Amino acid sequence: MRHAPWRIFALAAAVLVITIGAVVAVVQRTEDGPVTERPGAAGQRTATPTPLTTPSPLPTGPSGEVTTIPSVRSFEDAPGPGWAPADSTRVVADPEGPLDDEADRLAEELGAGRAPDGARAGDVELRLSEDADTGDEGYTLRTDDQRVTITARTDAGVFYGTRTLGQAVADRGGTPQGTVTDRPDRPQRGLLLDIARKHFPAEWIEARLHEMAELKLNQLQLHFSDDQGFRLESETHPEIVSETHLTKEEMRGIVELAESLHITVIPEIDSPGHLGAVLKAHPELQLRDARGEPARGAVDISDPAAAELVDDLLREYGDLFPSRYWHLGGDEYAALFSDNPEADYPDLAEAARERHGEDAGVRDLATAWLNDRADTARELGKMPQVWNDGMHAGGVVTPDSERQVAYWTGRELGAREPVEYLEGGWQLINLNSEYLYYVLGEPNQFTYPTGERIYEEWTPDVLRGSTPVPDEHAGADSVPGGRLAVWCDLANAQTTEQVAQGIKLPLAAVAQKLWDPREPELSWAEFTRLADRVAA
């Protein structure tokens, strides 16, 4: 059937109207938001996109230096606006990559969003690069084009870069234009906490971990066995555990938090002395002198059952503490306080001769004891650490070579200078009691260390007294680090809150000198004011 021409014309006109309407609708819905009209040629009006919002200008960062604790090793400034966090700031890192945790933490601290890639002005980008010349814990922090890029070889290095950024924001609101190049001088930087004599709740320890992380400290040594208490749950020997103690679940939480903050928890079971809590449950292992008098805290090292018990504990906790290190103690064994150990402890002397020859003495038996515990630690894949007064010289049995020595004292019987250990091939961890011993109640002529004295006088190479070791023995290869030590000899002398406050500035000063042992640029007064501003 044929259609009338006017009907065909009407149908075509309708189609044209619909098409024009659709085109206009599409034009009016652009990515940039609604459209407005502007005059076109010959008075016609055309559509142009209008943003939904007008972007605010990004804030500018400060000028001058980057001030943090510990201070950065170098900063090269450059002309430009710097960086400060804005409402639009995002932390840019692959959510499926190894920096996801670091990015999440920084985003939360800055109140920023996250993005997987595409860093733009206002953002902070976290990068790993195998080619970065930063060392294992170093990083670069570059501020350019109003964004920050933190680059490192490892996630620990990136983490430390984020700590620098956070402190810069807390102190001066952002970062100046330029590049921070930073790395630690010593690989072992930490705090020792005596939780055997005084119980510290898990929450308190976790708060110290956060404080340590802000200071770029990376080791927490827990001394949890002594004469006054054994403070960690045990399944192999529950009879030795003090009523007030940390459960394994609590310790797992501490270790997990520490690892997320790039801190290693180093356990210490001190032996063959300082085992009084164990001896309460096992009096049959008590060392006694020729008169039958007990030697405080000392097990009978001639009895294989004593060695078996300590090895049981080392093996039980091997998986609980994934640390590379196990601290085995070795200090202050009571039998060696005697002027004549062989006469005062004839049973030990006889055992020494039977096991190590006619020329062997009690010191040889003690050296062999610690060598055996070190063997157990190495079986667990750990590097042994021991106190320097557990290293006995001049005997027929010598300390094994594969260990590190924590040097704390020159007070022990037959005290030896640090250089003797260094010349013997042992690395020394600095716990110089002159500067780094915070002993509750200040017994035995100890005084609470001051951050100012550490800051102005101490370096990692000052191992005994106030004089550094000679240059040929100085540096990270010989002295890989140090720790501030909190000892609770008089446990009730301070509350846990007082301890936290008392160690705040000494810990900050130790962190400064382990990261950069050079003479600080800030005065002590300036350093303390900075500590108040950037405190976690």
Side-chain angles (χ1 to χ4, degrees), residues 7 53 142 179 324-325 466 471 478:
R7 291 182 177 177
T53 58
R142 185 174 182 228
T179 301
R324 176 190 172 196
Y325 303 103
S466 57
D471 289 345
S478 299

Side-chain angles (χ1 to χ4, degrees), residues 419-430:
V419 169
E420 289 192 39
Y421 300 90
L422 295 169
E423 289 178 342
W426 292 289
Q427 291 182 319
L428 297 185
I429 311 301
N430 193 327

Side-chain angles (χ1 to χ4, degrees), residues 371 378 383-384 391 398-405 424-427:
N371 284 350
R378 283 188 288 269
M383 166 65 80
M391 300 277 288
T398 58
D400 56 45
S401 59
E402 192 181 352
R403 62 174 66 175
Q404 294 178 338
V405 180
W426 292 289
Q427 291 182 319

Side-chain angles (χ1 to χ4, degrees), residues 59-68 75 77 81-85 164-177 522 530 533-534:
T60 59
S63 59
E65 298 294 320
V66 176
T67 49
T68 59
F75 173 66
D77 63 356
W83 172 90
T164 292
L165 182 64
Q167 285 197 26
V169 171
D171 181 31
R172 302 178 62 206
T175 58
Q177 191 91 351
L522 298 180
L530 176 61
R533 295 196 301 271
V534 303

Side-chain angles (χ1 to χ4, degrees), residues 216-479:
K216 302 184 177 78
L217 297 171
N218 65 357
Q219 291 182 339
L220 174 64
Q221 180 178 335
L222 293 180
H223 175 94
F224 57 82
S225 171
D226 214 302
D227 296 341
Q228 293 82 355
F230 191 98
R231 303 289 180 182
L232 181 58
E233 177 186 359
S234 171
E235 293 162 3
T236 60
H237 291 282
E239 73 281 0
I240 70 173
V241 179
S242 301
E243 181 177 355
T244 305
H245 64 272
L246 294 172
T247 67
K248 283 189 174 181
E249 189 61 29
E250 287 175 318
M251 187 59 74
R252 287 188 189 98
I254 290 169
V255 171
E256 181 178 354
L257 174 62
E259 288 186 325
S260 76
L261 298 171
H262 300 277
I263 296 172
T264 296
V265 179
I266 301 174
E268 180 191 354
I269 296 179
D270 200 348
S271 77
H274 294 281
L275 287 172
V278 171
L279 289 168
K280 289 177 184 177
H282 292 277
E284 72 280 6
L285 302 179
Q286 174 73 61
L287 175 66
R288 298 181 181 275
D289 65 16
R291 301 184 304 277
E293 294 296 319
R296 181 182 176 185
V299 296
D300 181 354
I301 56 177
S302 68
D303 188 341
E308 182 178 351
L309 188 151
V310 173
D311 283 350
D312 284 347
L313 295 169
L314 294 176
R315 293 188 176 104
E316 176 182 357
Y317 297 131
D319 290 337
L320 183 60
F321 297 99
S323 164
R324 176 190 172 196
Y325 303 103
W326 245 112
H327 203 296
L328 302 171
D331 63 312
E332 298 180 327
Y333 187 53
L336 298 178
F337 292 165
S338 168
D339 291 334
N340 190 342
E342 285 68 36
D344 289 339
Y345 295 91
D347 291 343
L348 295 184
E350 181 180 359
R353 290 190 296 270
E354 289 177 354
R355 298 177 191 180
H356 306 292
E358 285 300 315
D359 294 332
V362 175
R363 288 192 180 190
D364 295 295
L365 200 64
T367 297
W369 166 281
L370 207 54
N371 284 350
D372 290 343
R373 306 292 77 73
D375 285 342
T376 302
R378 283 188 288 269
E379 288 172 9
L380 298 169
K382 314 292 188 183
M383 166 65 80
Q385 293 183 342
V386 304
W387 295 112
N388 65 288
D389 51 334
M391 300 277 288
H392 309 299
V396 299
V397 179
T398 58
D400 56 45
S401 59
E402 192 181 352
R403 62 174 66 175
Q404 294 178 338
V405 180
Y407 194 98
W408 73 278
T409 183
R411 302 181 179 188
E412 80 276 14
L413 188 66
R416 292 189 287 156
E417 293 287 342
V419 169
E420 289 192 39
Y421 300 90
L422 295 169
E423 289 178 342
W426 292 289
Q427 291 182 319
L428 297 185
I429 311 301
N430 193 327
L431 287 100
N432 184 341
S433 61
E434 176 76 15
Y435 293 92
L436 305 181
Y437 261 38
Y438 191 99
V439 185
L440 268 59
E442 301 182 307
N444 301 321
Q445 300 181 325
F446 285 111
T447 58
Y448 291 126
T450 67
E452 182 175 10
R453 192 159 176 250
I454 296 168
Y455 187 76
E456 294 180 346
E457 300 177 15
W458 180 81
T459 75
D461 296 317
V462 177
L463 286 146
R464 178 173 176 175
S466 57
T467 304
V469 295
D471 289 345
E472 61 266 29
H473 296 297
D477 289 341
S478 299
V479 186

Side-chain angles (χ1 to χ4, degrees), residues 143-216:
T143 302
D144 191 22
D145 294 331
Q146 289 192 282
R147 73 183 186 193
V148 174
T149 304
I150 298 173
T151 305
R153 187 186 301 170
T154 66
D155 52 350
V158 170
F159 175 73
Y160 293 136
T162 67
R163 299 308 88 196
T164 292
L165 182 64
Q167 285 197 26
V169 171
D171 181 31
R172 302 178 62 206
T175 58
Q177 191 91 351
T179 301
V180 170
T181 303
D182 202 15
R183 69 177 71 196
D185 185 69
R186 309 292 162 127
Q188 296 193 45
R189 309 176 304 279
L191 171 69
L192 180 153
L193 184 62
D194 171 12
I195 63 173
R197 296 179 176 96
K198 183 180 184 69
H199 174 68
F200 290 86
E203 295 79 6
W204 189 95
I205 297 173
E206 289 170 352
R208 302 288 75 70
L209 287 171
H210 285 289
E211 182 179 353
M212 291 170 63
E214 290 303 312
L215 296 170
K216 302 184 177 78

